[in-house]
Amino acid sequence: MRWLPALSMTLVSMISYIDRNTLALLAPTILRDTHLSGEQYGLIISAFSVAYMLGNPVWGRILDRIGLRAGMTAAVSLWTLASVSHAFATGFQIFAAARAMLGFGEGATFPGGLRTVMQTLPPEHRARGTAVSFSGGSLGAILTPIIVTPVAAAWGWRGAFWFTGAVGAAWLLLWAVLARRPDLAQQTLASEASSSGAEPTWSDPRLWAYIAAYGLGAFPTGFVLYQAALYLSAVQHKSQVQIGQVLWIPPLGWEIGYFFWGWITDRFTRAGGSIPAVRRLFFWLMWLSLPLAAIPHIDSFAAVMAILFFAMFISSGFIIAPVAYATSAFSARHSGLIAGVGAGSWSAVVAVAMPGMGKLFDLQLYNAAFLMAALFPIAGYVAWRELSRYATQPKVLSQF
């Protein structure tokens, strides 16, 4: 019974990713029916990403003030309505508005998950609880094509958004019962033991090093999530049903990568978490990101899917390792802020880059699009290396 709140956050993060990935999955059909261009599609993705970036700290503050029970009810209600509103969209402006509202509401997902773990589990179980509550995101990305494809085949893409709204409503009913628990009803966290470490500030180069590594290094995750369906349709000539049958494969690499790179990061940094150890890890992640650029030169559908899987597997390393770097560089008291800054930096990069990627797809410049996506991790590594080097010049870090 103790783990039920964390599991409820697994469900809510899974639902949030089903909601956000339904548009990406059905993009070939939606763009054809609504006459949207690839560039407009990229701007719609940007609307979500900007709102999601802003929603993370806002909902974190709201949850701190009014508590989990009312805060998560408000957030999931908002994004459920936003998800359903996609069914009424007929053009760019309505899609962008619906997407922005969805992104803002879903900004509560990970602040809610972290606060639930801190509020309901003892310290010795909180690391596992965080993994449990956050894992629903990649699981939702895996399940979206499996669940939503037959729904869209039966009732159309508008029916798919009615379905995602129904799933959100079902969670709200579950939450109405579960949130009566005393440990969820309280509005304040139990006092935490003080922890050592610095407070993250915008003048600290280590914070910017973290932002660069996470935001730029993990960009291929967003690129594959949002553009894979369009590429498989336009170049591999796959139908919407065929795309749905295989699009769970790349996010599976993301899910496996979380656990694999967590283990690898522990091994690389167990000798005190030195900057050189993390630099070696980032260096290999950077080079292993490059095969993504080869996709437009490959005719084999199986090989394309394998590389998309591998790209998301590698990209997840640029989430796990930077978070480890930041949580060791700064005080554990600020772990929520650190997580929000990382997710926000990724959303910001996606928001800026996706319209350009959409334009390249409109022009059928797939070589350029995939090459640029593969170069983002290199930029992230170089920026992290220089900023972390600058940060260590005035003083040597005792831990990374």
Side-chain angles (χ1 to χ4, degrees):
M1 297 295 289
R2 171 179 286 176
W3 288 87
L4 281 178
L7 290 171
S8 73
M9 291 299 112
T10 303
L11 290 175
V12 85
S13 59
M14 181 185 73
I15 292 168
S16 76
Y17 267 80
I18 291 175
D19 285 350
R20 70 181 72 178
N21 288 337
T22 294
L23 177 64
L25 171 68
L26 302 178
T29 300
I30 293 172
L31 266 61
R32 183 181 65 247
D33 289 354
T34 58
H35 307 293
L36 292 170
S37 67
E39 185 176 11
Q40 288 175 315
Y41 172 67
L43 289 170
I44 290 169
I45 298 302
S46 292
F48 173 92
S49 299
V50 170
Y52 182 72
M53 175 185 65
L54 298 174
N56 269 276
V58 171
W59 281 109
R61 184 176 293 274
I62 291 172
L63 292 171
D64 285 341
R65 291 192 173 183
I66 70 174
L68 280 166
R69 182 162 61 180
M72 290 306 295
T73 299
V76 180
S77 296
L78 174 64
W79 94 50
T80 297
L81 291 174
S83 186
V84 172
S85 70
H86 286 65
F88 300 95
T90 56
F92 170 73
Q93 292 181 339
I94 299 177
F95 263 116
R99 210 67 189 163
M101 185 166 65
L102 181 71
F104 183 78
E106 290 190 353
T109 303
F110 295 114
L114 180 60
R115 185 178 176 91
T116 296
V117 168
M118 296 294 292
Q119 196 163 304
T120 62
L121 293 176
E124 63 269 21
H125 295 314
R126 286 175 183 166
R128 281 173 288 174
T130 301
V132 168
S133 64
F134 282 18
S135 66
S138 50
L139 181 60
I142 294 169
L143 292 177
T144 300
I146 298 172
I147 296 173
V148 173
T149 297
V151 173
W155 293 292
W157 64 265
R158 297 183 190 276
F161 287 108
W162 279 104
F163 170 76
T164 59
V167 173
W171 185 88
L172 286 168
L173 292 175
L174 173 66
W175 183 247
V177 176
L178 184 62
R180 295 174 184 173
R181 291 169 52 118
D183 54 356
L184 285 172
Q186 64 183 354
Q187 294 188 18
T188 58
L189 293 173
S191 59
E192 296 291 323
S194 60
S195 59
S196 61
E199 178 180 355
T201 63
W202 294 114
S203 61
D204 193 327
R206 292 173 298 174
L207 184 63
W208 290 103
Y210 165 59
I211 288 171
Y214 193 130
L216 296 171
F219 173 74
T221 299
F223 177 77
V224 174
L225 280 175
Y226 294 127
Q227 299 295 129
L230 294 176
Y231 182 79
L232 295 178
S233 174
V235 179
Q236 292 289 324
H237 308 294
K238 301 300 179 182
S239 69
Q240 185 68 73
V241 172
Q242 290 173 317
I243 292 170
Q245 290 172 342
V246 300
L247 210 56
W248 58 270
I249 295 174
L252 180 61
W254 185 17
E255 178 83 355
I256 296 172
Y258 271 135
F259 298 100
F260 177 81
W261 292 112
W263 176 72
I264 289 293
T265 300
D266 285 342
R267 289 183 62 85
F268 263 76
T269 62
R270 63 184 176 183
S274 65
I275 286 285
V278 181
R279 185 179 294 122
R280 287 194 298 271
L281 178 57
F282 283 169
F283 178 81
W284 286 110
L285 286 170
M286 173 188 70
W287 289 115
L288 291 171
S289 300
L290 289 179
L292 181 64
I295 283 182
H297 305 283
I298 296 173
D299 295 327
S300 169
F301 177 57
V304 167
M305 295 307 301
I307 295 176
L308 291 174
F309 171 96
F310 185 72
M312 295 197 78
F313 172 80
I314 296 300
S315 190
S316 63
F318 269 113
I319 297 173
I320 296 297
V323 168
Y325 165 79
T327 53
S328 293
F330 302 111
S331 169
R333 293 191 301 271
H334 305 288
S335 57
L337 173 62
I338 291 167
V341 168
S345 67
W346 179 83
S347 294
V349 172
V350 170
V352 171
M354 288 309 298
M357 293 296 180
K359 183 66 173 181
L360 291 174
F361 269 52
D362 283 342
L363 298 173
Q364 299 182 1
L365 297 175
Y366 302 113
N367 289 343
F370 279 89
L371 176 61
M372 288 180 62
L375 292 178
F376 269 78
I378 296 179
Y381 167 76
V382 171
W384 176 86
R385 185 187 64 188
E386 295 305 313
L387 288 166
S388 62
R389 178 183 299 169
Y390 173 77
T392 57
Q393 284 177 351
K395 57 182 180 180
V396 178
L397 298 178
S398 60
Q399 52 185 358
F400 74 95

